[in-house]
Amino acid sequence: MLFRRIYQFLIVYAIGLSFLMAIKKMAGLSNYVIPGIPLILETAQNVALVFFHDVINTMSVTVLGQCLSIAMAFGVGIAGRKSSWAGSFIKVTAYNVQAYPIVALAPIIFILLGDGFVSRLLIASMICYFPLLLSVLGIMSTPVNDIEHFYQITGRMRWQLEVKIRAFENLSKITTVISGSATLAMAGTIVAEFIAANAGIGYSIRVALYQSDMAKILIALFMIGIIISIYQGLLETLGEKIKRRWSVADKGEI
Amino acid sequence: MNIRFFTILILISLMVSPVSHAREKELNYRLKWLFNTSVAGDIWADANGYFTKAGLTVTLKEGSPEKNAINELELGYADFGVASADQVIRALDKGADVKVVAQLFQINPMQWIYRTTQPEIKQLEDLKGRTIGITFGGNDETIMRTLFAKAGITEKDVAIVGVRFDFTPFYTKAVEVWPVYRNSQGVILENRLAKENESVYFFNPADFGVNFVANSIVTSGKMIQRHPGLVTDFLTALLSAWESAMDPDNAASVLAVIKQFETGADDNILRQQLEATRKLVKPASSVKIGTIDRAAWKQTEAIMLREGQIKKPVQIETCLVTAE
């Protein structure tokens, strides 16, 4: 799964690069507008290591932000699963706020909190929080009658058990939405860095843009793609392992 | 057979340079920055029909940090543009077909502002120990590093802070020496600090022998080759407009035109910005606007070569075209 993600990305990247080279050739553009392969390789030699560190920097903010938003989404989602006024309020707020492009708030956050780590972390976690919350709310609000019915009837249902049952029965959905939110968090962090940070790969892309250095931008995109492919592959692999471990087929052990 | 014929036809039509149709279509002129006092002559030309009188239809397009006139020349989105010397030299280093036809700013507006509560920078060594803001990737970074190299200052001697368009670090004194364009942000900051009873100095690299050329008018080599008359007509109209816009007698009218674009701007600030722009574009009455300072261009190329911004000399003097 991990290797599939990586070679899928490499194929897409190669196709994109070929398309750019075709435009360069057809329109007779210089290296200033679209760099040739030798210039890209030469630039890669100079900046690949720096950009790799930048991507890891961005990734660390992304992962932390995603972990934070997973914890918040589960906390709020579990609290909001009931049909009480609190639960309804949480659901309505989540649906309405989710429609708003959170990344548009990035400039305000940077003005108030500065352009350091905390601003980027806040934006990364906000970006993926609401989609996660909606999914968790949906999962936790939907009873699994086949299993819960017995516990309801015998009066042995507790909220912890209810949450475990619903999480277990919807494990595929949960791992898919967590894996998907990784891309969202990464995109949000990069956009935030692009707007107003002083570190990370988004910041490096902005500097390259001001210098009209397409070679640097292409290398930055390559680094982002490789790292995010590895990260998503690892998340999916982890999700599969968890599913197999919790599987009934595994001698019924939970 | 038919499909092949039409495919080739489509490809050929896409590849035909838009320059060959320059006379039959609008000319696009991409500026370097937003519509403000630093492009007074360009706005004045457009508003007063200088281009129309020369038989040209010109569309003025605002610039921004993300827009690059040289890219647009090559892609055919612009016929003329405004670019700084470092952009031109970088482009030439990468094989772009760009020519400089006029130099708008005789003095580079890129300077640094700092409070008078700090000792005045009378020599480059006075930069040591200061917290200096630079825009990473911008020409101010190149200029400041040149100044450091000239004075033998290393990064251990100063605190470099990457800055953006948000002035908060300067207001809060987190950054002591802040990069500004003297004729736009410089005026705004000077006035804002004056309201807080703070006065400022401006640190001008040109005072220390670093003449980095600023905004200049560029076009493609193909345009000059195929439509030399068009280039002459465009330049004549534009530079006449700049001479008129920089005439102090026309200041009130020029400000009225600029205010159409900067609707929320303070009149006093605009007036000061226009005055500052005049000093940079036409520092003396004998100076003809658009004059290309070849020595400054060569120095700029030498600086960029020394700083590793370009791999090899680009022979910039061969790309400086004096309008007939």
Side-chain angles (χ1 to χ4, degrees), chain A residues 102-114 123 192 195-196, chain B residues 164 166:
Chain A
I102 299 296
V103 77
L105 293 176
I108 297 174
I109 291 169
F110 277 113
I111 286 172
L112 293 175
L113 298 177
I123 292 163
I195 290 171
Chain B
R164 298 180 311 276
D166 167 31

Side-chain angles (χ1 to χ4, degrees), chain A residues 26 28-33 39 42 115 195-197 203 206-207 209-213, chain B residues 11 15 65-66 68 70-71 74-75 87 90-91 94-96 136-137 162 164-165 311:
Chain A
M26 271 171 48
L29 300 173
S30 71
N31 278 344
Y32 188 66
V33 179
L39 182 58
E42 190 188 324
D115 53 8
I195 290 171
Y203 172 72
R206 194 176 87 222
V207 171
L209 180 63
Y210 289 173
Q211 292 172 330
S212 296
D213 196 332
Chain B
L11 280 173
M15 281 166 70
E66 294 78 24
N68 185 311
I70 300 173
N71 274 351
E74 204 161 319
L75 291 165
Q87 286 181 312
R90 269 203 199 95
K94 291 184 179 167
F136 286 118
R164 298 180 311 276
F165 306 113
K311 294 195 292 280

